[in-house]
Amino acid sequence: GDSVTQMEGPVTLSEEAFLTINCTYTATGYPSLFWYVQYPGEGLQLLLKATKADDKGSNKGFEATYRKETTSFHLEKGSVQVSDSAVYFCALNYGGSQGNLIFGKGTKLSVKP
Amino acid sequence: NAGVMQNPRHLVRRRGQEARLRCSPMKGHSHVYWYRQLPEEGLKFMVYLQKENIIDESGMPKERFSAEFPKEGPSILRIQQVVRGDSAAYFCASSPATGKGGEAFFGQGTRLTVV
Protein backbone atom coordinates (compact mmCIF):
# COMPACT_ATOMS: atom_id res chain seq x y z
CA GLY A 1 0.00 0.00 0.00
CA ASP A 2 0.88 3.66 -0.15
CA SER A 3 3.26 4.92 2.49
CA VAL A 4 5.53 7.79 3.51
CA THR A 5 8.94 7.38 5.10
CA GLN A 6 10.71 10.22 6.85
CA MET A 7 14.15 10.44 8.36
CA GLU A 8 14.14 9.62 12.03
CA GLY A 9 14.61 12.39 14.52
CA PRO A 10 15.21 14.19 16.63
CA VAL A 11 17.25 16.65 14.64
CA THR A 12 19.14 19.29 16.62
CA LEU A 13 20.65 22.26 14.83
CA SER A 14 22.17 25.58 15.75
CA GLU A 15 20.46 28.76 14.64
CA GLU A 16 21.24 29.70 11.00
CA ALA A 17 22.24 26.13 10.10
CA PHE A 18 21.02 24.45 6.92
CA LEU A 19 18.14 22.02 7.31
CA THR A 20 17.24 18.94 5.28
CA ILE A 21 14.54 16.50 6.33
CA ASN A 22 14.29 13.56 3.95
CA CYS A 23 10.95 12.18 2.82
CA THR A 24 10.30 9.38 0.35
CA TYR A 25 7.02 7.88 -0.64
CA THR A 26 5.54 4.75 -2.15
CA ALA A 27 2.46 5.23 -4.26
CA THR A 28 0.76 3.47 -7.12
CA GLY A 29 -0.43 6.65 -8.79
CA TYR A 30 0.45 10.34 -8.81
CA PRO A 31 -0.34 11.77 -5.42
CA SER A 32 -0.12 15.30 -4.12
CA LEU A 33 2.62 15.80 -1.54
CA PHE A 34 2.57 17.94 1.57
CA TRP A 35 4.66 19.07 4.49
CA TYR A 36 2.80 19.86 7.70
CA VAL A 37 4.29 21.42 10.84
CA GLN A 38 3.11 20.83 14.40
CA TYR A 39 4.23 23.27 17.07
CA PRO A 40 4.16 22.08 20.70
CA GLY A 41 0.63 21.54 21.95
CA GLU A 42 -0.91 22.57 18.66
CA GLY A 43 -2.58 20.98 15.68
CA LEU A 44 -1.01 20.59 12.27
CA GLN A 45 -0.55 23.47 9.89
CA LEU A 46 0.10 23.10 6.20
CA LEU A 47 3.61 24.33 5.46
CA LEU A 48 3.82 23.70 1.72
CA LYS A 49 2.58 21.39 -0.99
CA ALA A 50 3.22 20.18 -4.54
CA THR A 51 0.68 18.54 -6.79
CA LYS A 52 2.74 17.21 -9.69
CA ALA A 53 6.22 16.12 -10.63
CA ASP A 54 8.92 18.83 -10.60
CA ASP A 55 6.65 21.25 -8.73
CA LYS A 56 8.40 23.15 -5.97
CA GLY A 57 6.46 24.12 -2.87
CA SER A 58 7.77 26.97 -0.76
CA ASN A 59 6.72 28.91 2.31
CA LYS A 60 8.46 30.80 5.15
CA GLY A 61 11.88 30.00 3.68
CA PHE A 62 11.16 26.27 3.46
CA GLU A 63 11.22 24.48 0.10
CA ALA A 64 10.53 21.00 -1.22
CA THR A 65 10.56 19.66 -4.78
CA TYR A 66 8.36 16.80 -5.99
CA ARG A 67 10.82 14.30 -7.53
CA LYS A 68 9.03 11.50 -9.31
CA GLU A 69 12.21 9.73 -10.40
CA THR A 70 13.41 9.34 -6.82
CA THR A 71 9.90 9.36 -5.24
CA SER A 72 11.09 12.04 -2.84
CA PHE A 73 9.92 15.32 -1.36
CA HIS A 74 12.77 16.47 0.86
CA LEU A 75 12.24 19.57 3.02
CA GLU A 76 14.99 22.20 3.07
CA LYS A 77 15.66 25.55 4.66
CA GLY A 78 18.81 27.57 4.25
CA SER A 79 18.93 29.15 7.69
CA VAL A 80 16.81 27.85 10.55
CA GLN A 81 15.59 29.90 13.49
CA VAL A 82 14.72 28.93 17.05
CA SER A 83 11.07 29.50 16.15
CA ASP A 84 11.28 26.67 13.59
CA SER A 85 11.50 24.13 16.43
CA ALA A 86 8.55 21.81 15.84
CA VAL A 87 7.62 18.39 14.46
CA TYR A 88 7.49 18.16 10.68
CA PHE A 89 5.27 15.65 8.88
CA CYS A 90 5.47 14.61 5.26
CA ALA A 91 2.18 13.41 3.78
CA LEU A 92 0.51 12.38 0.55
CA ASN A 93 -3.00 12.10 -0.74
CA TYR A 94 -4.94 11.38 -3.86
CA GLY A 95 -7.48 13.76 -5.17
CA GLY A 96 -10.52 11.88 -3.95
CA SER A 97 -10.69 13.60 -0.58
CA GLN A 98 -8.45 16.41 0.48
CA GLY A 99 -8.28 15.42 4.09
CA ASN A 100 -7.54 11.71 3.62
CA LEU A 101 -3.81 11.94 4.08
CA ILE A 102 -1.14 9.34 4.63
CA PHE A 103 1.46 10.71 7.04
CA GLY A 104 5.03 9.87 7.84
CA LYS A 105 5.94 9.41 11.49
CA GLY A 106 7.21 12.96 11.85
CA THR A 107 10.64 14.45 12.48
CA LYS A 108 11.22 16.54 15.56
CA LEU A 109 13.46 19.55 14.97
CA SER A 110 15.09 21.48 17.80
CA VAL A 111 16.98 24.66 16.98
CA LYS A 112 19.36 26.01 19.61
CA PRO A 113 20.32 29.68 19.84
CA ASN B 1 -12.96 33.44 10.69
CA ALA B 2 -12.59 30.75 13.31
CA GLY B 3 -10.56 27.69 12.44
CA VAL B 4 -11.44 24.09 13.19
CA MET B 5 -12.60 23.93 16.79
CA GLN B 6 -12.17 20.83 18.89
CA ASN B 7 -13.29 20.31 22.43
CA PRO B 8 -12.39 19.43 24.98
CA ARG B 9 -8.65 20.01 24.60
CA HIS B 10 -7.91 17.47 27.31
CA LEU B 11 -10.11 14.60 28.45
CA VAL B 12 -9.46 12.10 31.20
CA ARG B 13 -11.57 8.97 31.41
CA ARG B 14 -11.43 5.87 33.57
CA ARG B 15 -11.31 2.49 31.88
CA GLY B 16 -14.78 1.43 30.81
CA GLN B 17 -16.20 4.94 30.50
CA GLU B 18 -17.27 6.65 27.30
CA ALA B 19 -15.35 9.44 25.61
CA ARG B 20 -17.03 11.99 23.35
CA LEU B 21 -14.88 14.24 21.23
CA ARG B 22 -16.36 17.17 19.33
CA CYS B 23 -15.25 18.93 16.19
CA SER B 24 -16.73 22.02 14.56
CA PRO B 25 -15.35 22.46 11.04
CA MET B 26 -14.37 25.77 9.55
CA LYS B 27 -17.22 27.86 8.24
CA GLY B 28 -18.22 26.69 4.80
CA HIS B 29 -16.52 23.29 5.13
CA SER B 30 -18.70 20.25 4.73
CA HIS B 31 -16.02 17.54 4.89
CA VAL B 32 -14.64 16.31 8.20
CA TYR B 33 -11.82 13.87 8.91
CA TRP B 34 -10.69 12.30 12.16
CA TYR B 35 -7.14 11.19 12.87
CA ARG B 36 -5.45 9.53 15.83
CA GLN B 37 -1.90 10.26 16.88
CA LEU B 38 -0.27 7.77 19.19
CA PRO B 39 2.85 8.81 21.13
CA GLU B 40 5.92 9.05 18.88
CA GLU B 41 3.81 8.18 15.85
CA GLY B 42 2.39 10.03 12.89
CA LEU B 43 -1.27 10.66 12.39
CA LYS B 44 -3.40 7.75 11.27
CA PHE B 45 -6.58 8.36 9.30
CA MET B 46 -9.71 7.07 11.01
CA VAL B 47 -12.83 8.29 9.24
CA TYR B 48 -14.09 10.76 6.64
CA LEU B 49 -17.57 12.20 6.93
CA GLN B 50 -19.82 14.60 5.11
CA LYS B 51 -23.05 15.93 6.57
CA GLU B 52 -25.14 12.92 7.68
CA ASN B 53 -22.91 10.50 5.76
CA ILE B 54 -19.89 8.36 6.53
CA ILE B 55 -17.83 8.32 3.36
CA ASP B 56 -14.80 6.29 4.41
CA GLU B 57 -14.34 4.56 7.74
CA SER B 58 -11.52 2.28 6.70
CA GLY B 59 -9.30 3.48 9.56
CA MET B 60 -11.83 3.05 12.35
CA PRO B 61 -11.43 0.18 14.80
CA LYS B 62 -14.26 -2.29 14.29
CA GLU B 63 -15.53 -2.11 17.84
CA ARG B 64 -16.23 0.64 20.38
CA PHE B 65 -15.53 3.53 17.98
CA SER B 66 -18.17 5.47 16.08
CA ALA B 67 -18.43 8.84 14.38
CA GLU B 68 -21.19 11.07 13.15
CA PHE B 69 -21.59 14.44 11.49
CA PRO B 70 -25.23 15.47 11.88
CA LYS B 71 -27.06 18.01 9.78
CA GLU B 72 -26.82 20.48 12.64
CA GLY B 73 -24.03 20.69 15.15
CA PRO B 74 -20.49 19.40 15.42
CA SER B 75 -19.02 16.11 14.34
CA ILE B 76 -18.70 13.63 17.22
CA LEU B 77 -16.16 10.86 17.65
CA ARG B 78 -17.39 8.47 20.32
CA ILE B 79 -15.32 5.83 22.04
CA GLN B 80 -17.22 3.42 24.24
CA GLN B 81 -15.71 1.44 27.09
CA VAL B 82 -12.34 3.09 26.78
CA VAL B 83 -9.13 1.16 27.42
CA ARG B 84 -5.61 2.40 28.18
CA GLY B 85 -4.59 1.84 24.56
CA ASP B 86 -7.09 4.50 23.47
CA SER B 87 -4.92 7.18 25.10
CA ALA B 88 -3.81 9.39 22.24
CA ALA B 89 -4.30 12.76 20.61
CA TYR B 90 -7.32 12.86 18.32
CA PHE B 91 -7.28 15.45 15.56
CA CYS B 92 -10.08 16.64 13.39
CA ALA B 93 -9.58 18.28 10.00
CA SER B 94 -12.00 19.89 7.59
CA SER B 95 -11.96 20.85 3.94
CA PRO B 96 -14.35 22.71 1.68
CA ALA B 97 -14.56 20.19 -1.17
CA THR B 98 -12.82 17.31 -2.84
CA GLY B 99 -10.17 17.80 -5.44
CA LYS B 100 -6.51 17.20 -6.06
CA GLY B 101 -4.07 19.15 -3.97
CA GLY B 102 -6.50 20.95 -1.77
CA GLU B 103 -5.79 21.80 1.81
CA ALA B 104 -7.29 20.26 4.90
CA PHE B 105 -7.29 22.45 8.02
CA PHE B 106 -6.59 20.82 11.36
CA GLY B 107 -7.89 21.56 14.81
CA GLN B 108 -5.71 21.68 17.91
CA GLY B 109 -6.67 18.19 18.94
CA THR B 110 -8.17 16.47 21.96
CA ARG B 111 -5.72 14.66 24.18
CA LEU B 112 -7.44 11.66 25.70
CA THR B 113 -5.93 10.01 28.73
CA VAL B 114 -7.41 6.77 30.01
CA VAL B 115 -6.56 5.99 33.62
Side-chain angles (χ1 to χ4, degrees):
Chain A
D2 299 339
S3 65
V4 174
T5 303
Q6 288 181 236
M7 62 185 286
E8 300 244 345
V11 174
T12 302
L13 295 173
S14 297
E15 206 164 21
E16 299 184 4
F18 184 84
L19 168 71
T20 300
I21 300 178
N22 290 338
C23 170
T24 57
Y25 66 91
T26 302
T28 51
Y30 301 97
S32 296
L33 302 173
F34 304 82
W35 277 100
Y36 279 83
V37 58
Q38 184 180 29
Y39 297 103
E42 300 294 322
L44 276 71
Q45 301 173 26
L46 179 66
L47 181 61
L48 53 84
K49 67 181 182 183
T51 59
K52 62 183 187 296
D54 300 324
D55 267 4
K56 178 187 280 188
S58 61
N59 185 26
K60 299 181 182 179
F62 291 89
E63 292 183 339
T65 301
Y66 190 140
R67 301 279 187 209
K68 195 174 97 173
E69 63 277 11
T70 54
T71 61
S72 65
F73 194 54
H74 305 320
L75 182 68
E76 296 182 335
K77 187 175 185 182
S79 176
V80 293
Q81 305 300 312
V82 172
S83 57
D84 294 327
S85 297
V87 181
Y88 292 82
F89 292 94
C90 186
L92 68 81
N93 84 344
Y94 293 98
S97 56
Q98 293 173 338
N100 191 342
L101 295 149
I102 297 172
F103 283 92
K105 288 190 175 182
T107 303
K108 184 175 181 179
L109 170 66
S110 295
V111 180
K112 307 297 184 188
Chain B
N1 185 16
V4 178
M5 303 300 292
Q6 289 188 249
N7 68 81
R9 291 289 307 274
H10 301 274
L11 181 62
V12 179
R13 284 287 177 268
R14 295 188 184 280
R15 281 178 294 170
Q17 290 184 319
E18 178 180 286
R20 279 184 170 241
L21 289 62
R22 294 175 184 77
C23 169
S24 296
M26 284 182 72
K27 188 175 181 181
H29 289 191
S30 57
H31 301 247
V32 166
Y33 313 82
W34 285 94
Y35 286 81
R36 177 164 62 177
Q37 183 180 31
L38 295 169
E40 307 301 322
E41 295 286 329
L43 279 72
K44 300 292 186 188
F45 168 79
M46 299 180 75
V47 62
Y48 162 36
L49 308 108
Q50 295 179 23
K51 288 280 187 182
E52 299 185 283
N53 279 306
I54 297 174
I55 306 301
D56 180 355
E57 56 182 347
S58 58
M60 286 279 271
K62 293 287 185 283
E63 297 177 348
R64 301 188 297 107
F65 285 72
S66 62
E68 63 176 8
F69 188 17
K71 188 176 180 182
E72 301 290 338
S75 175
I76 306 287
L77 178 67
R78 188 166 75 157
I79 311 172
Q80 295 178 294
Q81 299 175 308
V82 295
V83 300
R84 289 238 171 94
D86 297 333
S87 296
Y90 292 83
F91 289 95
C92 170
S94 73
S95 68
T98 58
K100 186 176 171 69
E103 180 177 352
F105 295 81
F106 282 79
Q108 293 184 304
T110 294
R111 281 154 181 82
L112 172 65
T113 302
V114 179
V115 298

